[in-house]
């Protein structure tokens, strides 16, 4: 979910980023195509850290990436953290997330296939954010337009 060890500890993942890198490299060594998953907006993370995720994972032998925005779901430990420490959480609107994803894509290796950008939890279960049920394909259409307008391609800001 993150390349940041402090975040992994905060969300109780019980492993480090180095553990993930080791597993990815071992899997790759067996010729198995590998994908990873990142949640954007985890507590304590900011835009600069999220762009750093793109740079970090671009160095890994991965094939696919699934992204999605953080959704705080009713009745979870994350909801309690959000209620007790809201300052830890970035509050992204759809527009903010679109803008961040253009920057993320610009720093992501062009050979990595992005499989999705959004999660779609049932609206009645979501505490935050409320995006009106936007679907991944709708988001992707808006993102494509923004990338074209800004002349951004995947990896065009990445130093290899």
């Amino acid at each position: 979910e993150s390349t940041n060890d402090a975040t992994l500890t905060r969300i109780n993942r019980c492993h480090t980023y180095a553990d993930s890198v080791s597993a990815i490299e071992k899997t790759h060594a067996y010729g198995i195509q590998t994908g990873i998953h990142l949640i954007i907006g985890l507590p304590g993370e900011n835009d600069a850290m999220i762009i750093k995720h793109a740079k970090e994972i671009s160095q890994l032998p991965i094939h696919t990436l699934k992204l999605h925005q953080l959704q705080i779901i009713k009745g979870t430990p994350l909801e309690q953290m959000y209620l007790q420490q809201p300052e830890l959480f970035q509050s992204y609107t759809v527009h903010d997330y679109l803008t961040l994803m253009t920057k993320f894509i610009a720093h992501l290796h062009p050979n990595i296939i992005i499989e999705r950008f959004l999660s779609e939890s049932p609206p009645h279960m979501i505490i935050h954010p409320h995006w009106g049920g936007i679907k991944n394909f709708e988001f992707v259409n808006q993102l494509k337009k923004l990338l074209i307008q800004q002349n951004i391609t995947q990896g065009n800001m990445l130093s290899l």
Side-chain angles (χ1 to χ4, degrees), residues 1-2 4-16 39 42-43 76-78 81:
E1 274 86 31
S2 178
N4 183 286
D5 285 337
T7 300
L8 294 171
T9 298
R10 184 176 287 122
I11 64 171
N12 199 30
R13 287 296 300 160
C14 300
H15 66 81
T16 65
I39 299 174
L42 287 168
T76 64
L78 194 61
M81 185 186 298

Side-chain angles (χ1 to χ4, degrees), residues 87-100:
E87 69 280 359
L88 289 177
F89 295 80
Q90 291 280 1
S91 184
Y92 293 108
T93 64
V94 173
H95 177 74
D96 295 337
Y97 190 67
L98 277 164
T99 301
L100 180 58

Side-chain angles (χ1 to χ4, degrees), residues 2-3 6 14 18 22 25 41-42 59 70-71 93 96 101 111 136 156-157:
S2 178
T3 65
C14 300
S22 176
E25 289 173 344
L42 287 168
Q59 305 305 313
L70 178 69
Q71 292 185 318
T93 64
D96 295 337
M101 286 299 96
N111 291 342
N136 192 65
N156 72 320
M157 296 292 291

